[in-house]
Amino acid sequence: MREVVKLVIDGKEVILPVIIGTEGEKGIDIRSLRQETGYITFDPGFGNTGTCRSAITYMDGEKGILRHRGYPIEQLAEHSTFVETAYLLITGQLPTLEELTRTSVYLNDFSPLHENMKAFYQNYPSKAHPMGILSAMINAMRSFYPELLDIEEEMNKTYLRLISKIRTMAAMAYRISLGERVVYPRPDLCYCANFLNMMFDNVVVPYQLDDDLIRALNVFWILHADHEQNCSTTAVRVVGSGKVNIYSTISAGISALWGPLHGGANQAVIQMLEVIHRNGLTINECLLKAKDRTDPFRLMGFGHRVYKTYDPRAKIMKKMGDILLSKLKRTDPLLEIAQRLEEAALKDPYFKEKNLYPNVDFYSGIVLRAMGIPTKMFTVMFAIGRLPGWIAQWKEDVSDPEMKISRPRQIYEGSLERDYIPIDNRA
Ligand code: ACO
């Protein structure tokens, strides 16, 4: 028998159907609520609201589980590559060797940028944040690559064009911001190696590609590839629901990701650790500030809307930071501060009671620093990783017959009707 819930509103019983997901998650289908009762639900920040059915990512925030298309994040991080994980997210299946090879050929073919796009960059103020540049450039792709045919094969190429070009754009934005020559993509290099080469190759000292760094970058991007209905993915679904083109939709996702409470947290964590290091703050002083409700300071990289235990991505990221630093025979004073901060916060009653654990961003800055990525580029690195997830979620959304344009309701609390007063009569 179909499960339902009964709600009594103004003495009238309303029966609402229950939707059950494959992992047993339950939701009350309230679509008929307003029509039947005149009531709406109130849920700022959507903490209790399901906005779609999805077959892409499964998360259990209490148990610290994250799976893409059923595959645990730990297995993907250990065995997969970023390109393969992107394919999995977008198509729903792991690719065959032939499919993966074809994908790589397209990624190579699409990697150069339209020459006129370079001029676009060069006119940006030199101190512009690369996230602002990236979101504008992705939006501009609609004008540079207008052929958006509604044919599956062509759309698949559009996804790969986006995944390929975002990496070229990011590296180019960095080089131009330094006033350095642009390094073009090389067809002989894989996705991650190509990015590192475009970022760091130099005429005087050619960049030495390192397999461990290439692997670390693959893992970094796999860990960011999708995360269910987070802030930027919701932005993508909401903007996409108006049927705007995919480039503008992804550009909206990039803008949403930029904020320090979301993807911008990786940059904010390093800036916080630098302040602690520079000013010699004690760990106790930081925790006191974070707990003080009158102080806007928060422990960046801690807390999550869904995870009420350790973020499984943070565990992998922390391990990778240790491996990279020991391989490079480098010490990072910020890593030591991060470890002490984590240890103290996990024992602190405030953080324990509120279930505040390190999230993916807590250790990602340490990993990116070890790779030589500048702090300003951290959120761009996140955006490149999240792109396959945004594409997969957009694709699912536009092909779902149940989906409608996003248009929430509100509870109005403003003035009641009143008459207009001409300016001369106003007190
Ligand atoms: N430091 C100190 N206190 C915190 C922190 C923190 N990092 N995070 C949450 N809290 C406290 C809040 O003050 C609040 O306390 P209260 O109950 O006394 O009011 C309580 O914990 C719940 O926090 P909310 O902000 O209501 O939780 P929400 O789910 O809305 O926010 C968020 C989650 C935005 C991630 C929050 O934990 C935060 O600001 N963390 C720091 C920024 C960060 O690391 N963002 C990256 C998240 S992961 C990602 O997007 C990639």
Side-chain angles (χ1 to χ4, degrees):
M1 210 176 71
R2 252 184 102 196
E3 211 172 308
V4 295
V5 294
K6 288 180 187 167
L7 204 63
V8 179
I9 295 184
D10 295 337
K12 182 183 162 203
E13 193 176 83
V14 188
I15 297 179
L16 298 169
V18 168
I19 300 177
I20 306 175
T22 48
E23 292 279 353
E25 282 177 309
K26 290 184 179 178
I28 304 168
D29 180 349
I30 57 145
R31 279 176 291 183
S32 64
L33 184 67
R34 189 173 171 279
Q35 209 182 356
E36 284 193 41
T37 67
Y39 282 67
I40 60 167
T41 55
F42 184 64
D43 185 21
F46 311 133
N48 298 285
T49 299
T51 55
C52 59
R53 301 172 200 253
S54 182
I56 302 168
T57 290
Y58 173 68
M59 284 172 77
D60 182 329
E62 272 71 38
K63 296 191 185 130
I65 291 174
L66 175 64
R67 293 184 206 131
H68 296 317
R69 303 284 189 186
Y71 296 102
I73 190 67
E74 293 79 7
Q75 290 185 23
L76 292 172
E78 194 173 344
H79 304 294
S80 186
T81 62
F82 175 59
V83 171
E84 189 186 54
T85 299
Y87 187 101
L88 170 71
L89 284 166
I90 295 169
T91 67
Q93 303 300 333
L94 285 169
T96 61
L97 188 58
E98 195 206 326
E99 286 163 340
L100 191 59
T101 309
R102 198 167 347 119
T103 301
S104 301
V105 169
Y106 276 126
L107 288 173
N108 258 330
D109 287 353
F110 291 140
S111 59
L113 286 195
H114 198 294
E115 275 300 300
N116 289 349
M117 287 191 109
K118 251 171 81 182
F120 204 102
Y121 277 108
Q122 273 150 344
N123 291 320
Y124 255 88
S126 62
K127 296 222 161 37
H129 195 285
M131 280 298 273
I133 303 178
L134 190 68
S135 93
M137 295 294 288
I138 295 284
N139 206 359
M141 280 181 75
R142 175 71 181 98
S143 310
F144 285 94
Y145 306 97
E147 64 285 0
L148 282 177
L149 303 174
D150 199 10
I151 302 168
E152 201 183 338
E153 181 62 20
E154 288 305 314
M155 276 320 285
N156 288 341
K157 284 190 198 160
T158 300
Y159 306 148
L160 295 176
R161 180 179 286 123
L162 263 164
I163 292 174
S164 183
K165 288 199 194 304
I166 195 173
R167 160 195 66 163
T168 315
M169 282 176 187
M172 200 185 257
Y174 172 62
R175 302 290 295 216
I176 290 176
S177 76
L178 294 181
E180 289 183 2
R181 97 188 149 90
V182 165
V183 178
Y184 287 88
R186 273 175 39 189
D188 58 315
L189 297 180
C190 71
Y191 190 89
C192 294
N194 230 327
F195 176 76
L196 290 170
N197 193 60
M198 283 192 278
M199 285 284 288
F200 301 121
D201 191 38
N202 197 301
V203 188
V204 187
V205 192
Y207 184 64
Q208 295 299 317
L209 286 163
D210 178 300
D211 284 345
D212 290 331
L213 277 193
I214 296 168
R215 182 66 212 149
L217 184 53
N218 266 294
V219 176
F220 178 89
W221 277 334
I222 290 170
L223 294 182
H224 287 85
D226 191 55
H227 213 222
E228 212 228 51
Q229 307 312 316
N230 56 83
C231 173
S232 55
T233 301
T234 301
V236 162
R237 284 200 181 241
V238 169
V239 171
S241 77
K243 300 279 184 260
V244 68
N245 68 82
I246 187 170
Y247 298 119
S248 303
T249 306
I250 298 297
S251 168
I254 295 171
S255 299
L257 187 74
W258 191 358
L261 295 190
H262 188 20
N266 57 12
Q267 178 173 343
V269 169
I270 288 295
Q271 284 162 342
M272 173 188 78
L273 295 174
E274 279 169 349
V275 168
I276 298 172
H277 184 52
R278 205 170 37 245
N279 299 340
L281 289 175
T282 65
I283 298 297
N284 199 31
E285 279 168 331
C286 301
L287 293 188
L288 283 176
K289 269 171 81 60
K291 291 187 285 189
D292 181 354
R293 296 196 83 173
T294 61
D295 190 327
F297 177 84
R298 278 190 165 197
L299 206 52
M300 299 313 285
F302 259 74
H304 198 274
R305 172 62 63 79
V306 179
Y307 291 124
K308 298 305 164 204
T309 181
Y310 217 102
D311 178 341
R313 303 165 304 166
K315 271 189 203 159
I316 304 170
M317 197 69 86
K318 182 181 183 184
K319 207 164 119 199
M320 208 165 69
D322 286 341
I323 295 170
L324 266 189
L325 289 173
S326 84
K327 176 204 152 70
L328 299 169
K329 298 196 175 38
R330 238 186 263 157
T331 50
D332 186 339
L334 300 194
L335 175 64
E336 200 245 330
I337 295 174
Q339 280 167 339
R340 284 197 291 129
L341 206 49
E342 178 194 327
E343 210 174 292
L346 292 180
K347 282 189 206 139
D348 189 290
Y350 172 95
F351 287 86
K352 274 164 79 170
E353 269 159 35
K354 294 185 187 297
N355 291 319
L356 299 172
Y357 290 84
N359 58 52
V360 69
D361 291 318
F362 194 65
Y363 286 106
S364 70
I366 305 281
V367 167
L368 292 174
R369 268 161 70 95
M371 285 181 197
I373 308 287
T375 314
K376 242 172 101 169
M377 287 289 288
F378 284 7
T379 315
V380 169
M381 297 299 287
F382 191 152
I384 299 173
R386 183 53 54 87
L387 179 59
W390 288 330
I391 294 172
Q393 302 268 354
W394 175 85
K395 189 179 161 204
E396 191 176 69
D397 206 84
V398 294
S399 56
D400 182 348
E402 273 190 336
M403 290 317 286
K404 293 169 165 237
I405 186 165
S406 293
R407 204 313 186 178
R409 294 272 173 170
Q410 63 166 16
I411 303 288
Y412 176 69
E413 291 188 337
S415 297
L416 292 175
E417 184 179 2
R418 47 186 172 165
D419 286 326
Y420 178 81
I421 305 166
I423 195 158
D424 293 342
N425 300 347
R426 284 176 217 159

